[in-house]
């Protein structure tokens, strides 16, 4: 038997034969991209599934973030979190914007709303928080600050597919929210992404921007980009959507088993479930505290030696990367909590097909 490594995540793939009819349809339509029938169907299906009104599909989450900022004509400085995937801040640089890093709340790993006001300057125009691991940000507190200072709020909601907060889609908060459908995410279209828009007019502007700025055959309204999702990706998304509830409930079982098995281990802290919110079980983060016998990196290595690939997600902080560390807001004293969490965090493998046996192997290594 070939010994196989356990990856941190594995994409959910429906049975191949279920995808064939979609491909046949595309071959028949000969419509490969530019708002084709599957693209339109997926937009409608996602609006229904997510409980939102308007969505614009994209080729990936990063181009969706870049376009969301462009659509709202954001300028100057944008307050954001250092504790995220690097695309969050890169989207700012692509718009010639200055990221201003604000520390996180160590319990939610999200930007700490009580520290935002102190980072606002006359140049601040927006806040770009991340719903880290699908945990809702302090959306009410953030909106209040945004309203007081006339700022826009764009959520990087790459982790928050399907999350409801207080009985409504979390994606309705802020001016815009951006999803990623990358292969590693809970819901994937191989590569893909989307912007959730509050109204048809905003969606229209975003649809122009993702198609070079074309408003009609001869009118180009802005220096847009090519950010369109193709028919293949959209068709695959429609098929994925049929299986998504099952995939999420499989993840839920894994989450429960991990919690039971890891309960009460000295030095292993499992973040509590956020109140008022549903979960999509996209990640299983743990914190390796000082009273655990190994350091986080030693545990990471030990798992790796046993063929288990966990991930230090997020480490290093965005603010420690060469293109960001020169920012005054990147200073270590400004980002104390983010720095501490980045040294303790470990995301354990979680994906729909992860076997009970594999989970028990992982937890017994952590226990031993
Ligand atoms: C995955 C991810 C992105 C980027 O999405 P892509 O679809 O890979 O471009 C952005 N932000 C966060 C927080 C992510 O996890």
């Amino acid at each position: 038997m070939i010994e196989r490594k356990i990856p941190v995540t594995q994409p959910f793939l429906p049975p191949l034969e279920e995808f064939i009819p979609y491909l046949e349809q595309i071959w028949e339509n000969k419509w490969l991209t530019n708002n084709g029938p599957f693209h339109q169907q997926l937009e409608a299906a996602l609006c229904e599934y997510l409980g939102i009104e308007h969505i614009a599909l994209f080729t990936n989450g990063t181009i969706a973030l870049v376009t969301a900022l462009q659509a709202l004509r954001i300028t100057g400085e944008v307050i954001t979190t250092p504790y995220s995937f690097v695309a969050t801040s890169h989207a700012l640089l692509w718009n010639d914007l200055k990221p201003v890093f604000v520390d996180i709340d160590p319990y939610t790993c999200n930007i700490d709303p009580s520290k935002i006001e102190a980072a606002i300057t006359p140049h601040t125009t927006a806040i770009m928080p991340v719903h880290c691991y699908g945990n809702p940000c302090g959306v009410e507190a953030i909106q209040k600050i945004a309203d007081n200072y006339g700022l826009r709020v764009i959520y990087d909601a790459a982790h928050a597919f399907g999350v409801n907060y207080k009985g409504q889609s979390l994606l309705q908060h802020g001016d815009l929210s951006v999803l990623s459908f990358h292969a590693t995410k809970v819901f994937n279209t191989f590569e893909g992404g989307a912007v959730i828009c509050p109204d048809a007019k905003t969606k229209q502007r975003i649809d122009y921007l993702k198609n070079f700025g074309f408003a009609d055959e001869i009118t180009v309204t802005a220096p847009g980009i090519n950010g369109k999702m193709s028919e293949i990706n959209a068709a695959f998304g429609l098929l994925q959507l049929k299986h998504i509830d099952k995939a999420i409930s499989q993840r839920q079982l894994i989450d429960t088993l991990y919690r039971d098995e890891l309960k009460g281990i000295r030095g292993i802290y499992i973040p509590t479930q956020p109140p008022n919110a549903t979960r999509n079980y996209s990640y299983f983060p743990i914190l390796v505290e000082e009273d655990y016998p190994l350091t986080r990196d030693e545990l990471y290595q030990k798992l790796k030696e046993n063929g288990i690939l966990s991930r230090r997600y997020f480490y290093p902080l965005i603010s420690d990367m060469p293109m960001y560390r020169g920012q005054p807001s990147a200073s270590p004293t400004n980002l104390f909590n983010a720095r501490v969490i980045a040294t303790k965090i470990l995301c354990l493998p979680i994906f729909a097909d992860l076997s009970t046996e594999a989970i028990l192997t992982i937890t017994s290594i952590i226990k031993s």
Side-chain angles (χ1 to χ4, degrees):
M1 207 178 94
I2 305 164
E3 211 193 319
R4 292 198 59 181
K5 287 201 189 324
I6 301 173
V8 68
T9 186
Q10 190 170 284
F12 177 79
L13 289 169
L16 181 57
E17 60 272 19
E18 289 184 23
F19 193 43
I20 306 296
Y22 291 84
L23 292 175
E24 286 169 350
Q25 189 66 55
I26 293 172
W27 259 246
E28 196 171 306
N29 295 342
K30 301 195 176 22
W31 191 345
L32 307 188
T33 186
N34 289 66
N35 199 27
F38 284 129
H39 186 283
Q40 292 173 26
Q41 284 175 45
L42 183 59
E43 287 195 338
L46 283 172
C47 282
E48 164 135 29
Y49 181 83
L50 297 170
I52 53 166
E53 297 269 342
H54 304 278
I55 193 168
L57 298 177
F58 273 79
T59 184
N60 62 57
T62 304
I63 297 289
L65 277 171
V66 169
T67 304
L69 291 160
Q70 186 189 9
L72 299 183
R73 299 185 176 83
I74 305 300
T75 58
E77 298 178 5
V78 177
I79 290 171
T80 189
T81 171
Y83 192 78
S84 181
F85 182 61
V86 69
T88 311
S89 287
H90 279 3
L92 298 173
L93 292 199
W94 275 92
N95 278 282
D96 214 8
L97 299 166
K98 179 175 160 183
V100 174
F101 299 110
V102 163
D103 204 5
I104 60 169
D105 171 323
Y107 295 100
T108 62
C109 296
N110 290 329
I111 195 166
D112 183 343
S114 72
K115 293 181 178 157
I116 290 177
E117 245 175 306
I120 296 173
T121 77
H123 304 293
T124 311
T125 59
I127 309 171
M128 195 162 72
V130 177
H131 300 298
C132 193
Y133 310 131
N135 295 335
C137 288
V139 287
E140 290 99 351
I142 290 171
Q143 194 57 53
K144 193 154 175 239
I145 296 164
D147 290 344
N148 284 347
Y149 290 87
L151 308 177
R152 301 292 211 140
V153 182
I154 297 130
Y155 282 104
D156 180 338
H159 297 182
F161 183 88
V163 173
N164 285 336
Y165 174 69
K166 295 187 176 169
Q168 285 195 345
S169 174
L170 179 60
L171 306 172
Q172 290 181 354
H173 288 276
D175 294 283
L176 296 172
S177 287
V178 176
L179 289 170
S180 165
F181 305 146
H182 182 256
T184 54
K185 305 300 203 272
V186 167
F187 173 81
N188 87 75
T189 58
F190 283 42
E191 292 269 7
V195 180
I196 286 77
C197 319
D199 52 58
K201 198 165 156 240
T202 311
K203 172 173 159 54
Q204 185 179 66
R205 174 161 166 78
I206 289 173
D207 282 343
Y208 293 166
L209 288 174
K210 78 177 188 192
N211 188 28
F212 311 95
F214 277 107
D216 60 40
E217 217 177 300
I218 53 166
T219 315
V220 179
T221 55
I225 200 159
N226 181 356
K228 306 184 300 293
M229 178 182 277
S230 85
E231 283 294 276
I232 289 238
N233 301 98
F236 188 73
L238 280 168
L239 177 56
Q240 287 285 61
L241 213 47
K242 291 186 179 170
H243 295 271
I244 188 69
D245 286 336
K246 175 135 189 291
I248 291 176
S249 59
Q250 279 171 285
R251 285 173 173 271
Q252 179 176 14
L253 295 176
I254 294 164
D255 181 282
T256 305
L257 185 55
Y258 267 136
R259 280 173 197 277
D260 285 349
E261 288 294 317
L262 296 175
K263 207 164 39 200
I265 301 180
R266 190 166 54 87
I268 297 293
Y269 175 79
I270 305 169
T272 49
Q273 321 213 13
N276 302 324
T278 62
R279 300 185 58 213
N280 61 15
Y281 309 96
S282 45
Y283 299 90
F284 195 84
I286 61 171
L287 297 179
V288 184
E289 302 284 352
E290 265 147 35
D291 50 352
Y292 187 74
L294 304 179
T295 64
R296 187 275 311 270
D297 287 347
E298 284 165 351
L299 178 58
Y300 167 81
Q301 279 303 335
K302 186 174 167 188
L303 288 166
K304 200 169 169 183
E305 281 155 21
N306 285 276
I308 295 145
L309 304 176
S310 61
R311 200 169 160 203
R312 292 166 286 190
Y313 195 67
F314 295 103
Y315 166 85
L317 295 178
I318 297 175
S319 48
D320 283 339
M321 294 173 186
M323 59 302 267
Y324 298 106
R325 66 187 173 212
Q327 300 285 347
S329 64
S331 86
T333 48
N334 187 44
L335 304 173
F336 180 80
N337 292 331
R339 194 159 291 275
V340 170
I341 298 294
T343 63
K344 293 179 177 177
I345 193 74
L346 200 61
C347 285
L348 299 181
I350 187 165
F351 49 91
D353 298 324
L354 184 63
S355 70
T356 302
E357 190 196 346
I359 298 162
L360 295 177
T361 307
I362 294 164
T363 55
S364 71
I365 293 168
I366 297 171
K367 280 180 206 169
S368 68

